[in-house]
Amino acid sequence: GIQVEQSPPDLILQEGANSTLRCNFSDSVNNLQWFHQNPWGQLINLFYIPSGTKQNGRLSATTVATERYSLLYISSSQTTDSGVYFCAVGWTSYDKVIFGPGTSLSVIP
Amino acid sequence: NAGVTQTPKFQVLKTGQSMTLQCAQDMNHEYMSWYRQDPGMGLRLIHYSVGAGITDQGEVPNGYNVSRSTTEDFPLRLLSAAPSQTSVYFCASSRQGLNTGELFFGEGSRLTVL
């Protein structure tokens, strides 16, 4: 069946460190988004990136659809980056979006 | 621009009670959906709508009803609440299809069923 995997499941960083989060998916996609769920539970759009590379401040994302993965880069991490990062994927052949299990990030001072 | 608005933010019910979670969006999006989020289970799709008057089931539809009488509103109804429906509920909308459009979420509604 259709699968979305994220790694690592948990990550602890010292403030100022860089990190890479990965999202693997089992089939070609036409929709991929990254979300940040903050400690208050809000789901915040980070990137809509079915292919290519985008950057927004300290965050950037790359999706290589042909190789079925996407990466989220966080540079110079801050404590406000803490929370859970989800990727969500949609396929042409399946009219729904599937969420990955998430990566829980804790940034400590 | 309010985006996607959910009410209430918190609710406690007794088993067997009914209630409606409200969702409204002001972005003129055709597609709306409801998800529930449970520890260790991620976000799972309950019901979705591709436009006014059209709804369909997602992954976990049992125990929930929806309707879409206007483009703006997509309420989720629990007819007889059960403890298994204790969860955080999120409403989302997108301009394009669920599998192609950028999703925008409301702030969530935390429901506890005793």
Side-chain angles (χ1 to χ4, degrees):
Chain A
I2 297 169
Q3 292 185 343
V4 182
E5 300 173 343
Q6 291 187 244
S7 60
D10 300 283
L11 187 60
I12 299 175
L13 294 176
Q14 200 78 34
E15 197 170 24
N18 302 327
S19 64
T20 301
L21 283 57
R22 187 177 181 103
C23 174
N24 290 335
F25 37 90
S26 60
D27 204 347
S28 298
V29 302
N30 59 345
N31 179 2
L32 190 141
Q33 283 185 256
W34 283 97
F35 294 91
H36 174 214
Q37 188 167 38
N38 63 24
W40 294 270
Q42 294 175 309
L43 282 162
I44 299 164
N45 292 37
L46 296 178
F47 294 102
Y48 174 72
I49 187 166
S51 64
T53 298
K54 291 186 178 179
Q55 181 157 8
N56 185 4
R58 297 181 296 104
L59 274 60
S60 64
T62 295
T63 297
V64 185
T66 53
E67 297 187 19
R68 302 180 186 174
Y69 72 89
S70 182
L71 302 175
L72 177 68
Y73 306 95
I74 303 174
S75 64
S76 304
S77 58
Q78 301 176 358
T79 56
T80 52
D81 294 331
S82 296
V84 182
Y85 290 81
F86 292 100
C87 65
V89 187
W91 288 266
T92 304
S93 58
Y94 187 62
D95 63 350
K96 303 173 184 63
V97 167
I98 302 296
F99 280 79
T103 292
S104 179
L105 173 65
S106 296
V107 181
I108 56 178
Chain B
N1 192 339
V4 180
T5 303
Q6 290 182 234
T7 56
K9 288 186 169 47
F10 301 94
Q11 183 73 49
V12 179
L13 291 177
K14 295 181 179 178
T15 297
Q17 287 185 316
S18 63
M19 77 156 300
T20 299
L21 298 176
Q22 301 290 346
C23 177
Q25 53 91 10
D26 62 0
M27 297 176 282
N28 201 30
H29 285 174
E30 288 295 321
Y31 298 86
M32 297 185 72
S33 52
W34 277 100
Y35 292 82
R36 59 177 289 173
Q37 185 177 29
D38 303 292
M41 302 294 291
L43 283 98
R44 294 181 292 170
L45 182 64
I46 305 172
H47 284 285
Y48 66 99
S49 169
V50 300
I54 305 169
T55 64
D56 206 345
Q57 298 180 347
E59 302 170 73
V60 288
N62 292 339
Y64 307 96
N65 283 345
V66 292
S67 60
R68 183 94 179 271
S69 56
T70 67
T71 299
E72 294 78 18
D73 300 299
F74 191 44
L76 179 71
R77 298 184 184 85
L78 286 72
L79 298 180
S80 180
S84 61
Q85 294 177 304
T86 294
S87 187
V88 180
Y89 292 85
F90 288 95
C91 179
S93 73
S94 71
R95 183 176 303 280
Q96 299 164 269
L98 286 179
N99 63 346
T100 57
E102 185 175 4
L103 284 176
F104 295 90
F105 281 90
E107 294 192 347
S109 299
R110 184 175 296 273
L111 174 65
T112 301
V113 182
L114 303 176

